[in-house]
Amino acid sequence: MREFYPLVWDDRLGAWLVSRYGDVAAALGDPGLVRPRRGLCCWPGEVWCAGPRREVDDEALGVLREVSERTAFVLARRLAQREVADLAEEFCHWLPVGTAATALGLSYAELARGSRAGGRRAGPAASLAVLCADRSALIGKALASLLANLLDRPDEWAAVRDAPGALTAAWRESLRRNPPVHVVLRRAHGDIRIADGTVPAGAAVALLVGAAGRDPDRFAVPDRFDPRRTAPAQLDFGLPDCPAARVAEVQAECAARALCEAMPELRWAEGFRPTETGLLTRAPRTLLVRPA
């Protein structure tokens, strides 16, 4: 599709498909392509940075980071003595949820019921904690993919363990290679030019973020996980100033630091290989490891 059909109509999906990196990146910022009024729950990429951009308060982010660090260390230390643990279910899933609940002063049950407005804490990190709660499923998927990429390559895991600054590049490369959201839906407000073609007004447009992140015209050897790439590619989390992107990256930093400290010899369980599942959202459902 990228090579021969960069803009093509799909009858089953009922949308125009866009798959090249340059076209997807341009379309994500095109004001003529708007979020659809219906079906938002089916297109989770729409919630990452919806609405106007706003500055992220450094104090609020610092408070959220402290809560994230404590939550990550508690989770990691609980798993450290296990013979085998599932990082996807027992760590990646609970880190954003636990961080949000603690920051808001809510129990997990209250958070799950959507009782965020009744939180007992309204400090500077409250709005970011709500953001963390709303995106917890996608943050968990992104964390699972990051850990799968690092543990599959012991040299990269060692680099993150020995040089904490290496985590940022690994995180962004993992988002390129294995984004939690693979498809983002838009609707054309008027006739829109995309990929040397025209999408008629009112038509649905499916931006294939996963395909764009592996476009060989943009990335050399695109299927390879290579944190040393210089070309940025954060299509699904938005630009670096997006609050959701900042919150998710903080969670990744805290996760890696806690696991490296609590489980310095972390490795895959014998015979286990991670497998991604999902179409619109995608990540390994299981990450079986030997903590010690």
Side-chain angles (χ1 to χ4, degrees):
M1 288 175 59
R2 283 189 304 249
E3 186 174 357
F4 298 109
Y5 304 100
L7 178 68
V8 62
W9 173 258
D10 186 285
D11 281 326
R12 292 171 297 177
L13 192 58
W16 291 89
L17 309 184
V18 183
S19 53
R20 289 178 179 170
Y21 180 90
D23 297 330
V24 170
L28 285 171
D30 190 332
L33 290 170
V34 299
R35 298 193 307 274
R37 294 181 179 180
R38 296 181 297 172
L40 289 181
C41 63
C42 299
W43 302 92
E46 300 301 321
V47 304
W48 271 115
C49 293
R53 296 287 170 81
R54 62 186 187 276
E55 292 292 327
V56 178
D57 182 82
D58 288 338
E59 180 185 359
L61 194 64
V63 173
L64 189 75
R65 184 185 299 275
E66 291 178 4
V67 177
S68 296
E69 287 177 347
R70 291 198 301 270
T71 304
F73 276 111
V74 168
L75 292 171
R77 285 168 180 163
R78 286 179 178 175
L79 300 177
Q81 303 307 315
R82 298 269 197 89
E83 183 176 347
V84 175
D86 181 358
L87 290 184
E89 179 63 29
E90 300 175 283
F91 185 86
C92 298
H93 168 74
W94 284 108
L95 178 55
V97 174
T99 296
T102 301
L104 293 171
L106 296 170
S107 69
Y108 294 151
E110 289 172 324
L111 191 70
R113 290 198 301 268
S115 307
R116 295 155 200 167
R120 293 180 290 279
R121 298 176 187 172
S127 62
L128 291 182
V130 171
L131 191 68
C132 186
D134 289 340
R135 277 69 167 180
S136 61
L138 296 186
I139 292 174
K141 289 178 181 292
L143 291 175
S145 292
L146 170 68
L147 294 178
N149 278 321
L150 289 174
L151 291 174
D152 256 354
R153 300 158 183 83
D155 56 333
E156 300 296 351
W157 178 246
V160 168
R161 183 187 61 209
D162 300 335
L167 188 279
T168 298
W171 168 247
R172 292 176 179 173
E173 171 69 353
S174 186
L175 291 181
R176 176 201 69 81
R177 185 178 185 270
N178 304 92
V181 176
H182 274 237
V183 181
V184 173
L185 189 68
R186 292 286 191 266
R187 189 165 296 280
H189 188 64
D191 291 352
I192 300 292
R193 290 286 296 173
I194 303 177
D196 296 327
T198 300
V199 172
V205 180
L207 307 177
L208 307 187
V209 174
R214 298 201 187 195
D215 187 339
D217 288 338
R218 171 75 177 187
F219 306 102
V221 195
D223 292 339
R224 184 174 64 195
F225 178 75
D226 182 6
R228 293 157 191 81
R229 294 182 190 275
T230 56
Q234 286 183 275
L235 295 176
D236 58 324
F237 273 68
L239 297 174
D241 64 339
C242 166
R246 297 287 299 279
V247 168
E249 188 164 339
V250 164
Q251 295 268 284
E253 292 170 0
C254 294
R257 187 178 303 114
L259 291 173
C260 287
E261 182 170 316
M263 311 174 192
E265 303 301 325
L266 181 66
R267 61 194 184 280
W268 290 130
E270 184 176 354
F272 176 78
R273 297 294 305 160
T275 302
E276 289 186 323
T277 59
L279 177 62
L280 303 183
T281 62
R282 188 170 178 82
R285 288 189 180 180
T286 304
L287 296 175
L288 297 183
V289 297
R290 292 183 63 86

